[in-house]
Amino acid sequence: MENNHADERFEALGLNLPPAPAPLGVYKPCLIDGKYLYLSGHGPVQDDKSLIIGRIGAALDMEQGKLAARQVGLTMLSTIVANLGSLNKVKRVVKVLGMVNCTPDFERHPYIINGCSELFAAVWGEENGIGVRSAVGFGSLPDNIPVEIEALFELY
């Protein structure tokens, strides 16, 4: 773990972690299986526990959508810290699935999910912070959130 400075990198970014969300259904926010950490789909929780809402291409533009995806990433980091105690326990990002609530004519799903992927790259470095990824569009998401993301991480 001597090469991992994720907590320090995060602190240097000057960002805040929102409160880790509690499940609103019948599921676990995270699950550890051996050396892997699975995170359930997360939405963009803000510091006051409210959600960013709105469809991209209608209520939100691309830049607002990308910021919403970054906020989802922050929410995921909050879940990691709440359950593992430190971002340093994550060795690497393995896979990210990004779901974008957007109008039917919107086609820049990967650009939106870059908001989360760029955050992970900044926290764990480009070698370990960038994994495989899918970014897809949806006609709706729970509570009209603009982005939902789930991910798989490898632990030390």
Side-chain angles (χ1 to χ4, degrees):
M1 245 190 290
E2 66 277 352
N3 292 329
N4 191 344
H5 303 286
D7 287 332
E8 293 83 0
R9 286 183 183 136
F10 180 79
E11 188 176 323
L13 293 172
L15 300 171
N16 295 320
L17 290 179
L24 297 176
V26 184
Y27 67 92
K28 295 179 180 184
C30 68
L31 178 80
I32 296 173
D33 181 18
K35 65 177 185 173
Y36 294 103
L37 170 68
Y38 295 82
L39 287 190
S40 293
H42 279 62
V45 177
Q46 301 181 95
D47 291 346
D48 65 0
K49 297 185 181 181
S50 68
L51 293 169
I52 297 171
I53 58 169
R55 177 175 283 177
I56 298 166
L60 302 176
D61 64 24
M62 280 191 353
E63 295 307 318
Q64 291 169 313
K66 186 176 180 183
L67 287 173
R70 183 178 80 162
Q71 193 64 35
V72 175
L74 290 169
T75 305
M76 297 171 89
L77 297 181
S78 182
T79 293
I80 292 170
V81 170
N83 288 274
L84 276 71
S86 171
L87 299 173
N88 290 342
K89 294 185 178 178
V90 171
K91 180 177 181 180
R92 71 174 302 118
V93 176
V94 176
K95 180 169 181 22
V96 171
L97 169 60
M99 297 159 273
V100 180
N101 177 10
C102 58
T103 57
D105 60 334
F106 187 80
E107 299 176 342
R108 302 283 311 275
H109 313 101
Y111 179 82
I112 300 300
I113 302 305
N114 281 346
C116 179
S117 296
E118 291 168 2
L119 173 67
F120 289 175
V123 170
W124 286 290
E126 289 199 11
E127 180 63 29
N128 292 325
I130 299 173
V132 297
R133 186 183 87 176
S134 298
V136 295
F138 281 74
S140 68
L141 288 173
D143 297 318
N144 198 33
I145 58 173
V147 181
E148 180 175 343
I149 300 173
E150 66 178 47
L152 171 64
F153 302 86
E154 182 181 357
L155 300 173
Y156 279 102

